[in-house]
Amino acid sequence: MLNALEVFTTVVVGLMVGVEFSVAFVINPIFNALPEDSGQLGRAHGGRMLGAVMPFWYIGSLVLAAVWAVAGWGQEGAGLVVTAGALLIVSVIMSILLLVPINNRGKTWTPENRPADWKDQMKRWDRYHYVRVAVIIAAFTLLVAART
């Protein structure tokens, strides 16, 4: 049963990393290259869509890592799982304090109501997101290492 939990947790976190990596290095660069208001509208739609799903994914990943850490306590790799869980906590805290407030504003913007500094706010979100992606990649790497 522990083996199934380890595999499931690793897959769930790995998929989350893939989505967030693609947002940072594929989707947002595409949006930034679109003409006129298309990029801002795309980011707003993405913020609404992913903003509805990602909280459950982040918290779910954290819960799965915690269950794995408890169930596998005393086994080889448990320290790696605990460290990965700590990194997932950091990613959740970063999300709540830094990224979600910007996302909540941005997902309501249209070309008619967006603030003058909307591009600066999106650049700030991107910078925070790059750090968060690095944190969850590190957590994922530790989970993979704990499985070997």
Side-chain angles (χ1 to χ4, degrees):
M1 189 67 161
L2 180 59
N3 189 49
L5 173 65
E6 293 171 356
V7 170
F8 184 71
T9 303
T10 303
V11 169
V12 167
V13 174
L15 290 170
M16 182 176 72
V17 166
V19 168
E20 294 292 35
F21 185 90
S22 72
V23 166
F25 298 104
V26 178
I27 303 301
N28 283 347
I30 289 171
F31 286 161
N32 292 341
L34 291 174
E36 299 173 20
D37 297 322
S38 301
Q40 185 264 307
L41 292 170
R43 277 182 174 260
H45 182 66
R48 287 187 299 274
M49 195 171 105
L50 290 173
V53 173
M54 297 315 285
F56 299 103
W57 210 337
Y58 273 84
I59 298 298
S61 295
L62 175 57
V63 168
L64 286 169
V67 171
W68 176 358
V70 169
W73 191 253
Q75 295 187 0
E76 189 176 339
L80 296 174
V81 177
V82 170
T83 305
L87 289 172
L88 291 172
I89 290 170
V90 168
S91 74
V92 169
I93 292 169
M94 284 182 65
S95 298
I96 292 168
L97 296 179
L98 302 173
L99 289 117
V100 169
I102 297 170
N103 189 63
N104 284 344
R105 290 190 301 272
K107 68 185 183 181
T108 65
W109 294 339
T110 66
E112 294 78 32
N113 73 358
R114 67 184 178 214
D117 70 339
W118 74 272
K119 286 185 180 180
D120 291 333
Q121 291 188 52
M122 291 297 98
K123 287 178 186 174
R124 187 176 324 114
W125 188 94
D126 287 342
R127 286 191 304 271
Y128 293 148
H129 185 65
Y130 295 143
V131 174
R132 180 174 63 179
V133 168
V135 168
I136 63 174
I137 287 173
F140 175 66
T141 303
L142 291 169
L143 293 175
V144 170
R147 289 255 326 125
T148 57

